[in-house]
């Protein structure tokens, strides 16, 4: 993790640009019909192309740059397909997709013209035994059946990359959202900044080239996809925790009790200080792991490093969100103030891509195996 906290001038400029842009166009409290406009602006800035190779229309940046964008999006609770399409779908293509699939889909995903999502086992974990969607051969093509109860999709994803069970094991398939037999239903969710849908596949007929995984790369590729996505989710959680701290400090400095600002009370200072300790610890871990991704080619080694960042960021966000609610007093849970939005996002983020307990177990297993 050497030099993990040192950002280059280009990375600092990207971070500053993202912070300024998202501060002006944040949409968490705006109507859903403005989401498409924000996505177009994000696409014009080139953010969907950050991790895509240059020969496929991308910017060929790395995990650090992506983490900086995710942190700023988490700070502003941005409602967009960025996490589903860039962090999940693009990463699955890069890590587990065939060369033909990458050439076919990555250019349009990098441009932002279309968005996609990824469907794995429930909770977006890589657990082959838990995959319930099936795909059987029929003639030269495939026929898919099954259901994914919770999919990260704002209802506008043009396609999904679906892990499905075949006669020969698990495969990764491209499925158009508009294919015959595909049903998509929006879900009522607590976190309104993270739209989800249920996807159902009923005798969905797919062409032979719908299977897009590279031979021999699926298992390690999707395991690495989940680890990299968990790292970016941790970056988003760091941004959310930072927002909770900032809004809490600002509120307690303005709120007067017994003739003095609430922030002047020792107990309040201690609680804000503890929020900062957890936040900066998590941020250091996330940036350190992001800076090390390129050299962590072994899936188990990457997962172990990501586990540390994931656990610290998840704990920090939940702690800072609940402290923000408490330190805002009676208004902390009301609709007019943002702490309740972060509290809901923190609860959601703590469970997807595997809960903290699962990642702690991963660290313990790795350490014991090395002992």
């Amino acid at each position: 993790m050497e030099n993990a906290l040192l950002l280059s001038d280009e990375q600092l400029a990207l971070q500053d640009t993202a912070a300024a842009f998202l501060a002006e166009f944040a949409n968490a409290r705006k109507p859903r019909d403005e989401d498409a406009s924000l996505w177009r602006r994000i696409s014009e800035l080139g953010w969907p192309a950050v991790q895509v190779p240059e020969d496929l229309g991308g910017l060929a940046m790395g995990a650090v740059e992506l983490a900086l964008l995710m942190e700023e999006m988490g700070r502003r609770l941005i409602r967009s397909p960025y996490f589903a399409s860039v962090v999940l779908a693009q990463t699955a293509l890069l890590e587990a997709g065939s060369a033909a699939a990458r050439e076919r889909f990555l250019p349009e995903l990098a441009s932002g013209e279309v968005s996609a999502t990824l469907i794995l086992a429930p909770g977006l974990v890589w657990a082959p035994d838990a995959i319930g969607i099936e795909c059987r051969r029929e003639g030269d093509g495939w026929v898919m059946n099954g259901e994914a109860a919770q999919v990260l999709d704002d209802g506008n994803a043009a396609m999904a990359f679906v892990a499905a069970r075949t006669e020969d094991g698990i495969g990764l398939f491209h499925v158009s959202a508009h294919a015959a037999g595909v049903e998509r239903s929006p879900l009522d969710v607590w976190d309104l900044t993270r739209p989800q849908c249920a996807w159902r596949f009923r005798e969905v007929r797919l062409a032979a080239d719908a299977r897009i995984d590279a031979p021999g790369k699926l298992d390690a590729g999707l395991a690495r996809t989940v680890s990299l996505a968990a790292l970016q989710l941790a970056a988003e959680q760091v941004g959310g925790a930072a927002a909770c701290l900032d809004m809490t400090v600002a509120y307690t400095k303005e709120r007067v009790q017994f003739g003095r600002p609430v922030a002047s009370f020792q107990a309040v200072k201690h609680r804000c200080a503890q929020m900062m300790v957890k936040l900066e610890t998590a941020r250091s871990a996330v940036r350190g792991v992001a800076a090390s991704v390129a050299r962590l080619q072994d899936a188990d080694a990457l997962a172990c490093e990501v586990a540390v960042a994931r656990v610290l960021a998840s704990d920090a966000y939940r702690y800072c969100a609940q402290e923000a609610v408490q330190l805002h007093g009676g208004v902390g849970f009301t609709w007019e103030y943002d702490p309740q939005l972060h509290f809901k996002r923190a609860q959601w983020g703590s469970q997807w891509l595997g809960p903290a307990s699962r990642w702690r177990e991963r660290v313990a297993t790795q350490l014991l195996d090395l002992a």
Side-chain angles (χ1 to χ4, degrees), residues 346-359:
Q347 300 303 315
W348 175 91
S350 69
Q351 299 302 313
W352 282 68
L353 294 163
S357 59
R358 189 186 185 103
W359 290 99

Side-chain angles (χ1 to χ4, degrees), residues 10 14 20 75 85 87 105 109 134 139 228 231 261 330 362:
E10 291 78 9
L14 176 65
R75 184 190 299 273
S85 189
V87 175
F105 298 113
L109 291 177
E134 298 182 346
L228 294 173
L231 174 62
R362 193 67 181 261

Side-chain angles (χ1 to χ4, degrees), residues 39-236:
W39 179 243
R40 281 195 299 273
R41 291 174 181 270
I42 288 175
S43 299
E44 289 168 0
L45 289 170
W47 295 354
V50 163
Q51 64 173 345
V52 176
E54 286 183 324
D55 61 345
L56 296 176
L59 300 174
M61 295 182 177
V64 173
E65 288 80 3
L66 186 55
L68 292 174
L69 292 176
M70 288 302 301
E71 181 175 334
E72 294 307 320
M73 291 189 194
R75 184 190 299 273
R76 299 294 176 182
L77 291 168
I78 296 302
R79 186 176 57 237
S80 83
Y82 197 86
F83 188 83
S85 189
V86 175
V87 175
L88 293 173
Q90 280 189 16
T91 304
L93 276 176
L94 289 167
E95 298 296 335
S98 65
R102 293 197 296 270
E103 292 175 3
R104 180 181 173 189
F105 298 113
L106 280 176
E108 60 181 350
L109 291 177
S111 71
E113 294 175 1
V114 298
S115 62
T117 189
L118 178 66
I119 297 177
L120 300 177
L124 269 176
V125 296
W126 177 232
D129 292 343
I131 290 176
I133 296 173
E134 298 182 346
C135 207
R136 69 175 189 275
R137 279 197 175 277
E138 190 166 294
D140 293 333
W142 302 87
V143 178
M144 180 176 286
N145 283 285
E147 177 178 350
Q150 291 178 288
V151 177
L152 292 181
D153 173 21
D154 61 0
N156 294 312
M159 66 188 83
F161 302 129
V162 184
R165 191 175 302 283
T166 75
E167 295 90 337
D168 303 322
I170 304 298
L172 187 65
F173 294 85
H174 161 257
V175 182
S176 169
H178 308 293
V182 174
E183 297 177 9
R184 180 165 50 176
S185 306
L187 299 176
D188 292 327
V189 293
W190 278 13
D191 181 5
L192 300 179
T193 66
R194 190 73 93 190
Q196 299 172 45
C197 289
W199 283 56
R200 298 177 184 84
F201 308 94
R202 296 178 179 172
E203 294 292 301
V204 179
R205 298 187 177 279
L206 304 173
D209 64 356
R211 182 164 180 171
I212 59 172
D213 53 290
K217 288 186 60 178
L218 183 76
D219 189 67
L222 289 184
R224 188 173 172 84
T225 295
V226 170
S227 293
L228 294 173
L231 174 62
Q232 297 305 331
L233 177 59
E236 183 188 80

Side-chain angles (χ1 to χ4, degrees), residues 71 74-75 235-248 275-276 278-280 282-283 312-313 315-321 324 342:
E71 181 175 334
R75 184 190 299 273
E236 183 188 80
Q237 291 172 317
V238 166
C244 290
L245 175 59
D246 290 346
M247 74 175 74
T248 300
M275 292 169 72
M276 174 168 280
K278 287 183 173 290
L279 163 63
E280 293 302 332
R283 177 180 279 148
L312 289 173
D315 288 351
Y317 195 16
R318 293 182 65 181
Y319 180 84
C320 290
H342 284 282

